[in-house]
Amino acid sequence: MKNFSHNNSILKGKLKNHELSIGSWLTIPHQSVIEILGSAGFEWLTIDLEHAAISIETVMNLIGHIQGNGMQALVRVSKNEEVVIKRVLDAGADGVIVPMIKNKEEAIEAVNYVKYPPLGKRGVGLNRAQKYGTSFDTYQKWVKDEVVIIAQIEHIEAVNNLEEIFSVPGIDGIIVGPYDLSASMGYPGEYDREDVQDALARIDAIAKKLNKPLGFHVIDSDHSKTLEKINKGYSFLAFSLDFFFLGDKARQEMKLLKSKL
């Protein structure tokens, strides 16, 4: 593994400039999975602490392996809560994705948990991110200028408050969570419903009006679904996740094999 150091965030600059950046989602907490996904050319991986069976004790090693394989390490934290955000950042994460942000106040809270005073309220501790106490000043400047904060938009209330969420200094972008968004409207997973599509179109329109980067987690492992989002102007894209890539390919090839027997 490479020695850890916080360089200028490639992702931060791409978000600011609306440049295309494609990553994926890590739910299987193993070095081999990270190395395989790294060989595919993803720019970043998001460690999922909200829904995956990954412990906080495991996060530091996963972050190190992601960064050691030439990618940036994001963490989708379990909730918008001070301690978990502080711990994953002290473990060296390049940024956080904060789930279920529904309004301006919650977006402000997320920024406060990430940033040190006077920009936020994060408590000071020394761990891997600060090179175990040898580089706090450098890390403090990095947090001020380069850490990535993504608000996950996955509730119809968030859609209704999106302009205010975008107005919060420190929020670098959004990522749409399609499952929970449709669920918040009473139709889990029913993306093709007209009212759900209308909500997604509202997100597109608001982001474009405010010149903000659009992000989306495309669950399907078929690349054409991600390409559709790129063609619609999305630039921050999580392309599927580890077990879908594994399972979809295995099922596809076994089906083909059995059809020839």
Side-chain angles (χ1 to χ4, degrees), residues 44-89:
W44 46 271
L45 294 181
T46 295
I47 302 165
D48 190 355
L49 285 190
E50 185 183 15
H51 292 295
I54 299 176
S55 69
I56 191 71
E57 291 83 3
T58 306
V59 167
M60 186 184 295
N61 286 334
L62 297 176
I63 291 170
H65 286 305
I66 291 169
Q67 292 167 339
N69 280 276
M71 297 173 286
Q72 289 189 265
L74 304 179
V75 179
R76 199 259 296 271
V77 292
S78 51
K79 61 179 179 177
N80 188 11
E81 190 268 331
E82 179 179 7
V83 174
V84 67
I85 291 174
K86 177 168 50 181
R87 291 182 78 182
V88 301
L89 289 171

Side-chain angles (χ1 to χ4, degrees), residues 32-45:
S32 297
V33 177
I34 293 168
E35 291 172 347
I36 291 165
L37 291 175
S39 72
F42 292 110
E43 296 181 7
W44 46 271
L45 294 181

Side-chain angles (χ1 to χ4, degrees), residues 101-117:
I101 296 293
K102 298 191 293 292
N103 53 53
K104 181 178 181 179
E105 291 71 28
E106 291 176 356
I108 291 171
E109 281 184 349
V111 174
N112 279 338
Y113 297 151
V114 170
K115 302 279 190 174
Y116 292 117

